[in-house]
Amino acid sequence: MNLENIRNFCIIAHIDHGKSTLADRMLLHTGTVAQRDFQDQLLDDMDLERERGITIKAKAVTLRYRHADGEYTLNLIDTPGHVDFSYEVSRSLAACEGALLLVDASQGVEAQTVANAHLAIESKLKIIPVLNKLDMSTARPDEVIEEMVNALAIDPELVHRVSGKTGMGVPELLDIIVERIPPPLGQVDSSLRALIFDASYDEYRGVIIYVRLMDGTLKKGQQILMMGTNRHYEVEEVGIFTPKMQKLKQLNAGEVGYITATIKTMCDVKIGDTVTDRARPATEKLPGYKEPLPMVFCGLYPTSNTDFERLRQALDKLQLNDSSFTYTPESSGALGFGFRCGFLGLLHMEVVQERLERESGVDIVQTSPNVTLEVLKSNGDVFRIESPADLPDAGQIEEIAEPVVRATVMVPSTYIGNVMTLLEDRRAHYLRTDYLSPHRVILVYDMPLAELISDFYDKLKSTTRGYATLDYEFIGYVPAELVKVNLLVNGSPVDALSFICHRDVAESRGRKLLKKLKEEIPRHLFEVPLQAAIGGKIIARESISAMRKNVTAKCYGGDITRKRKLLEKQKEGKKRMKSIGSVDIPQEAFMALLRLDDEK
């Protein structure tokens, strides 16, 4: 296929604006998928994607389209819309020359629409603005186009109107893609350079690499070299997605497809690496991607200790298909052996946990999420910690810095006051207000990531009756007055219950946890003190009273000294018990505290 007849593009939008539905309609219209094989969310092949109605992994598909000028190959990449998966979007953009910027005609421009549009502009892509869902009774196309003009400086004459559900405007959109998106640049006779933009794992074929060829050709039996890892392999198969894998003799410059080689683990493949010919290697690599850094951490423990090995195997398998997820073994005195896991955000954490439980059948206990902190020690050393247990003694710490994100909240103007109050309660710092229209506003704040991952999103939705949308990007670490709060049971600290928070909320949060712990720990024969402490200073206390036995029940009358003697003996016994007795904290108590953290 001539380079002039190839178009590489992706669909970018806010979550639930109809990307996958529009992709389905294109597959049907070009005859890539027959009507009898068609089903909704065709490219979302993961059960979890279908149930939640969201795209989690970017998908590539090749369409053959007959235009008035001849036959064209359209390589479409369907991308996720949720902020946690924006790294998938950035990878897809690097493999394309153009992007369809999709906006819902009833919901209008949302936070992720703006973020994805900026990503596309930075990648120097040709943007085609598309207004979707015009079949809905709540569609307000003229107002939404005005929002697109105000937020993204888009020419209203260039906005194309479609309905992914009914297929209205889709044939014309395919013509616009051919006419407006430039063909790929590249030399078929140059040294091979192919960009790895994704990879997945298959039990029978090993690692399947998704590539965009910039220069050269790629065929079966060719010896290839990964320029980043300096490893070489022999190509076993090349092909394209239609959307099933279709084997071809070779892939040429400008095309998007897949290759399989004798690669057994995902660790051997680096997303963003350049594939070249081992015999005739390219002189320089293609620009890759920034590695996605996990920002949210939590512990995952099997409810039964016998399931530890099954959980490890499930994590190994999951990491083969999700390179942005990290884990390391850890142990807790309360919960036994488990893993410290790193995620890109809360939705990513939820998705991973659900996939683990489904695919492995292991019941999992999840500790409350926390963020990575940067600690400056008195001797000048700087290091990062992922768990409260890793924090050194207060005497060795000069300062603690927490991750801060730039949050963009899009909200109807009637809720501005409520949202600003909510943000300022979360230690957010106001930057600016932008008006999209008289009725819709963008609020921009800098806020600690720790405040955002607790329950901020739920509170934001309930405060605005579900109308607000949120996007955020990490901007750096900022020093803050953070303290580690230890929970002590009968004078002994319980490592699994310690947490790091801002000094202003330490007392209230510690007291709340102690009250819940008091309800969950059964009474003992001696009094059990529960304390929250910062260093050596106790900031909150509750007590579980001792079980009492009436030792004077058999004393009918007689001298009062006899009763006193029995009571003193009981008192001495309880004192001795308290000094040598241990308090067992039931698993249910930990579970209740984790649920309390979720409800917080």
Side-chain angles (χ1 to χ4, degrees):
M1 171 78 57
N2 186 351
L3 277 174
E4 288 296 319
N5 287 33
I6 297 174
R7 300 290 183 270
N8 297 318
F9 70 99
C10 57
I11 305 177
I12 54 175
H14 189 80
I15 191 168
D16 203 28
H17 276 205
K19 294 177 294 300
S20 298
T21 309
L22 182 61
D24 291 348
R25 195 58 53 190
M26 287 179 171
L27 291 173
L28 257 183
H29 185 75
T30 54
T32 308
V33 175
Q35 185 71 50
R36 67 175 181 275
D37 300 325
F38 181 74
Q39 56 177 336
D40 287 343
Q41 278 184 276
L42 193 73
L43 296 181
D44 293 343
D45 51 11
M46 211 188 291
D47 288 343
L48 207 55
E49 290 182 313
R50 292 184 166 283
E51 283 171 26
R52 287 175 173 255
I54 59 172
T55 301
I56 293 168
K57 290 290 288 176
K59 306 291 186 308
V61 64
T62 300
L63 319 171
R64 306 285 185 203
Y65 178 58
R66 194 169 291 283
H67 186 258
D69 299 342
E71 188 170 301
Y72 283 78
T73 297
L74 309 180
N75 293 311
L76 156 66
I77 299 173
D78 179 29
T79 60
H82 196 278
V83 61
D84 282 11
F85 304 116
S86 57
Y87 74 102
E88 293 270 351
V89 179
S90 64
R91 293 189 334 207
S92 305
L93 294 174
C96 299
E97 279 78 42
L100 301 186
L101 180 64
L102 206 61
V103 179
D104 187 320
S106 56
Q107 292 182 16
V109 174
E110 303 279 24
Q112 226 15 56
T113 316
V114 178
N116 286 339
H118 287 314
L119 277 176
I121 291 164
E122 284 167 23
S123 303
K124 299 188 170 101
L125 299 194
K126 177 68 179 176
I127 296 173
I128 299 175
V130 181
L131 199 59
N132 191 24
K133 301 194 185 181
L134 281 169
D135 57 296
M136 291 182 69
S137 56
T138 53
R140 42 188 188 91
D142 295 335
E143 285 178 47
V144 173
I145 288 173
E146 189 188 332
E147 287 180 13
M148 291 168 80
V149 172
N150 291 340
L152 305 165
I154 280 168
D155 183 349
E157 298 299 317
L158 297 178
V159 178
H160 184 65
R161 304 181 183 208
V162 299
S163 166
K165 192 172 182 183
T166 65
M168 180 203 94
V170 172
E172 294 82 0
L173 180 59
L174 291 166
D175 288 335
I176 289 170
I177 289 166
V178 168
E179 290 154 16
R180 289 198 208 162
I181 293 177
L185 301 170
Q187 303 292 325
V188 178
D189 51 1
S190 291
S191 296
L192 168 66
R193 286 200 309 165
L195 175 73
I196 301 175
F197 69 89
D198 207 352
S200 62
Y201 183 78
D202 184 277
E203 286 185 13
Y204 305 104
R205 300 171 191 239
V207 178
I208 299 164
I209 303 170
Y210 294 40
V211 289
R212 155 70 200 276
L213 269 74
M214 300 298 181
D215 297 302
T217 57
L218 193 54
K219 53 191 167 193
K220 184 180 175 180
Q222 189 172 345
Q223 291 287 327
I224 56 169
L225 174 74
M226 307 285 193
M227 294 181 79
T229 58
N230 214 27
R231 291 184 174 157
H232 54 86
Y233 305 95
E234 183 179 325
V235 177
E236 291 182 338
E237 187 183 312
V238 300
I240 57 172
F241 297 97
T242 62
K244 292 186 173 73
M245 292 166 76
Q246 182 187 326
K247 204 186 295 187
L248 294 179
K249 286 184 180 174
Q250 71 175 47
L251 287 172
N252 297 318
E255 294 188 318
V256 173
Y258 71 88
I259 56 173
T260 62
T262 47
I263 307 173
K264 296 290 177 272
T265 67
M266 285 284 271
C267 306
D268 297 334
V269 176
K270 191 165 177 285
I271 305 295
D273 201 354
T274 303
V275 178
T276 190
D277 193 324
R278 192 181 174 196
R280 193 164 65 112
T283 52
E284 60 179 82
K285 288 199 302 182
L286 295 163
Y289 316 99
K290 281 193 294 187
E291 283 286 311
L293 290 173
M295 296 303 298
V296 177
F297 289 84
C298 79
L300 292 182
Y301 294 83
T303 48
S304 164
N305 279 335
T306 55
D307 286 337
F308 176 76
E309 207 47 50
R310 276 173 67 199
L311 179 58
R312 182 196 287 278
Q313 288 166 8
L315 289 167
D316 285 342
K317 190 177 171 188
L318 186 66
Q319 197 178 39
L320 289 173
N321 281 319
D322 190 349
S323 56
S324 60
F325 160 64
T326 63
Y327 67 94
T328 50
E330 71 169 3
S331 64
S332 156
L335 299 170
F337 292 101
F339 296 91
R340 189 93 198 144
C341 302
F343 310 92
L344 298 169
L346 284 186
L347 180 68
H348 188 211
M349 183 173 79
E350 244 178 81
V351 164
V352 166
Q353 188 186 352
E354 204 162 327
R355 281 182 69 185
L356 279 174
E357 288 188 337
R358 280 182 190 212
E359 293 166 20
S360 67
V362 177
D363 278 337
I364 295 168
V365 178
Q366 177 194 310
T367 64
S368 51
N370 63 280
V371 297
T372 318
L373 298 172
E374 210 169 67
V375 179
L376 171 64
K377 291 179 80 170
S378 309
N379 61 7
D381 290 347
V382 177
F383 65 100
R384 287 183 183 170
I385 61 157
E386 296 164 6
S387 160
D390 301 335
L391 194 70
D393 293 335
Q396 299 176 28
I397 299 171
E398 189 67 37
E399 69 176 23
I400 305 174
E402 61 182 345
V404 170
V405 294
R406 181 146 296 159
T408 305
V409 182
M410 205 158 289
V411 63
S413 49
T414 47
Y415 298 111
I416 289 179
N418 298 354
V419 173
M420 285 180 125
T421 304
L422 176 66
L423 282 157
E424 275 151 27
D425 287 347
R426 300 301 173 108
R427 300 190 283 129
H429 171 64
Y430 172 79
L431 293 178
R432 65 176 189 274
T433 304
D434 298 330
Y435 276 83
L436 280 179
S437 70
H439 309 294
R440 281 165 65 77
V441 177
I442 299 175
L443 297 172
V444 184
Y445 276 80
D446 284 351
M447 71 183 293
L449 180 62
E451 297 289 346
L452 192 136
I453 67 165
S454 54
D455 60 345
F456 176 76
Y457 191 67
D458 294 341
K459 288 271 171 67
L460 178 67
K461 284 291 185 186
S462 58
T463 302
T464 60
R465 298 188 183 176
Y467 285 112
T469 59
L470 169 73
D471 174 53
Y472 59 89
E473 62 171 332
F474 172 68
I475 56 170
Y477 285 87
V478 174
E481 204 174 345
L482 301 177
V483 290
K484 179 182 175 183
V485 179
N486 286 312
L487 293 194
L488 285 72
V489 176
N490 199 29
S492 304
V494 183
D495 63 331
L497 298 180
S498 63
F499 59 92
I500 296 171
C501 67
H502 197 270
R503 190 178 289 277
D504 293 349
V505 295
E507 186 185 333
S508 60
R509 192 170 168 203
R511 197 172 297 282
K512 193 173 183 180
L513 288 171
L514 291 181
K515 281 181 178 171
K516 191 67 182 175
L517 204 57
K518 183 180 177 181
E519 292 170 19
E520 296 297 330
I521 295 178
R523 288 170 72 188
H524 287 59
L525 289 169
F526 51 90
E527 184 187 52
V528 178
L530 306 174
Q531 297 161 311
I534 298 173
K537 184 184 176 186
I538 304 298
I539 56 168
R541 175 180 169 130
E542 294 286 336
S543 296
I544 302 171
S545 56
M547 292 171 74
R548 301 294 295 271
K549 180 184 175 186
N550 187 359
V551 290
T552 62
K554 292 180 182 177
C555 296
Y556 299 105
D559 192 354
I560 189 69
T561 55
R562 190 172 164 218
K563 286 187 180 181
R564 281 187 183 148
K565 190 178 176 182
L566 288 169
L567 288 169
E568 284 297 321
K569 193 177 176 184
Q570 183 190 41
K571 191 175 173 184
E572 283 298 316
K574 286 191 182 292
K575 191 176 177 183
R576 190 169 62 253
M577 260 189 221
K578 186 172 181 177
S579 64
I580 62 168
S582 63
V583 179
D584 288 328
I585 306 172
Q587 185 83 21
E588 292 73 32
F590 289 101
M591 300 290 281
L593 288 185
L594 296 179
R595 281 196 297 273
L596 177 73
D597 247 36
D598 292 342
E599 293 160 11
K600 188 167 66 67

